[in-house]
DNA sequence: TAGTAATATATCACTGATGATATATACAAA
DNA sequence: TTTGTATATATCATCAGTGATATATTACTA
């Protein structure tokens, strides 16, 4: 239910339409909290019922009217209540790792192919991350430098996790290629 | 929909009841694909309808009968079809990172508290990971060494991701404490 | 002796998220 | 000229997953 709170956070910057929110979600938080359009619209409707938002309908005939959402005091309160609430463990679902888990029943070559596929995906992700700042430099010109700092911090998180994953994938591939079925050394 | 395929994988080891599957999921794949009991039972029922499984009902009156599920040829085919299918990007949803994203609208102390909370969670996770092999050593005695190798590989993945996260959290906390709002250096 | 953990399954309301479809206009590029 | 993209919203079937509740016995333990 954190999409609600992400939306509260964005509307705390400035009033926006569902369309605006979809765009900003895509370029900012989507790498750790994706949201499709239908989910955003449904959530906005629910939030309005909860009196966290008010709608300002700006008709622009004959185009569909812009429904610009504004944060209410109640909504702002809910945002800051939630920002103080420690969140429990992060949710992760890795279908590809289920495949690796059952790698014992596959040929080496097949497992390696799956790992190399993930390696490609992670490398592409890394390229995507490093290109985000350039793409959005224009939009971020007038942003608060403190807001910008935390934005960049979340990108840095994605980068560091992707790098760790690339390294793990490379090691795993090499271990299998060398035919060394020693248990990987676990050290914290 | 990968719970289905995880179940196919486990039943490929040997026939099991829903109860057995719940137990083995908890100690093996739950750190990257958690499943509650109701979800497992619902999925088993669906899989039986799809003819991927057959049920052998072993009555043990007056206790509820054990419904032992067996993989069919069709189910085994589906398992190996899926094991060959490259999976797309991994799903991640990190509510706490949404909070950090909006850290610009919080006091430093508050953001640091949130980061330290995550640091604790990750450190506990690491301790949990390193203790898994001891806990399950008995159960794994008679396991295939190749199966065991890939099991340990997935644990190693969790460990490496957790270590990377701990390092990132420590760095982020220090950066904020030093009041240095320089953008973190992104380097791939 | 009372409590609780383990064994084993069944079912249901709910919700977050997905994916598809629909409508309608303006404008730029091929 | 047609195709695609951007603007902007609406709705719906479907599903995976959660959480709660229910039943019923055995066996251990405080």
């Amino acid at each position: 239910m954190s999409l609600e709170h992400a939306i509260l956070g964005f509307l705390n910057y400035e009033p926006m339409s569902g369309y605006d929110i979809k765009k900003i979600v895509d370029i900012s938080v989507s790498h750790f909290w994706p949201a499709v359009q239908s989910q955003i619209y449904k959530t906005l409707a629910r939030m309005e019922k909860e009196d966290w938002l008010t709608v300002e309908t700006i008709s622009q005939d004959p185009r569909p009217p812009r429904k610009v959402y504004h944060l209410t005091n109640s909504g702002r309160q809910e945002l800051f209540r939630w920002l103080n609430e420690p969140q429990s463990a992060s949710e992760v679902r890795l279908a590809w790792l289920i495949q690796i888990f059952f790698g014992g029943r596959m040929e080496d070559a097949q497992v390696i192919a799956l790992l190399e596929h993930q390696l490609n995906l992670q490398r592409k992700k890394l390229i995507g991350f490093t290109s985000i700042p350039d793409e959005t430099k224009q939009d971020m010109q007038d942003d608060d430098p403190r807001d910008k700092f935390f934005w960049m911090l979340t990108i840095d998180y994605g980068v560091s996790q992707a790098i760790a994953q690339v390294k793990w994938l490379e090691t795993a591939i090499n271990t299998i290629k060398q035919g060394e079925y020693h248990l990987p050394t676990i050290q914290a």
Side-chain angles (χ1 to χ4, degrees), chain A:
Chain A
M1 230 175 328
S2 293
L3 178 58
E4 281 183 351
H5 296 97
I7 290 174
L8 289 174
F10 287 121
L11 293 181
N12 186 43
Y13 289 161
E14 57 181 334
M16 284 184 229
S17 68
Y19 191 80
D20 297 333
I21 290 166
K22 170 62 178 161
K23 272 190 302 182
I24 202 168
V25 162
D26 282 351
I27 61 163
S28 61
V29 298
S30 64
H31 64 100
F32 52 90
W33 203 280
V36 294
Q37 179 252 20
S38 55
Q39 188 65 18
I40 288 171
Y41 278 82
K42 205 196 299 176
T43 305
L44 283 169
R46 195 204 315 141
M47 290 168 80
E48 200 205 332
K49 268 184 202 158
E50 288 188 80
D51 290 319
W52 290 350
L53 312 178
T54 51
V55 198
E56 178 197 3
T57 304
I58 301 169
S59 64
Q60 31 177 24
D61 233 39
R63 267 181 281 177
R66 261 179 76 80
K67 288 174 73 172
V68 177
Y69 291 90
H70 296 252
L71 209 55
T72 62
N73 284 335
S74 163
R76 189 167 282 104
Q77 260 174 39
E78 172 57 23
L79 171 62
F80 287 101
R81 186 202 61 73
W82 182 78
L83 286 177
N84 270 301
E85 190 180 70
Q87 300 297 308
S88 59
S90 41
E91 269 177 60
V92 172
R93 282 184 189 271
L94 310 172
W96 67 271
L97 207 51
I98 297 180
Q99 296 180 315
I100 305 307
F101 182 87
F102 294 110
R105 306 300 165 118
M106 284 183 256
E107 299 288 325
D108 278 9
Q110 198 183 328
V111 183
I112 288 169
L114 293 173
L115 292 169
E116 276 174 348
H117 176 69
Q118 290 301 317
L119 195 53
N120 280 334
L121 291 181
Q122 288 303 313
R123 284 185 175 146
K124 272 176 198 157
K125 203 173 179 180
L126 272 175
I127 293 165
F129 274 134
T130 47
S131 72
I132 286 179
D134 299 331
E135 281 171 18
T136 55
K137 248 170 200 163
Q138 288 84 3
D139 308 323
M140 290 172 69
Q141 288 294 1
D142 43 82
D143 284 356
D144 183 298
R146 193 175 156 85
D147 287 340
K148 230 187 287 189
F149 168 79
F150 284 102
W151 183 332
M152 290 301 104
L153 202 55
T154 62
I155 291 172
D156 187 64
Y157 174 84
V159 170
S160 76
Q161 285 294 101
I163 290 173
Q165 195 162 328
V166 163
K167 283 179 186 161
W168 180 87
L169 286 164
E170 286 168 348
T171 305
I173 290 166
N174 285 332
T175 307
I176 295 168
K177 275 186 178 165
Q178 285 160 23
E180 291 172 11
Y181 295 117
H182 306 305
L183 303 184
T185 35
I186 294 166
Q187 45 194 354

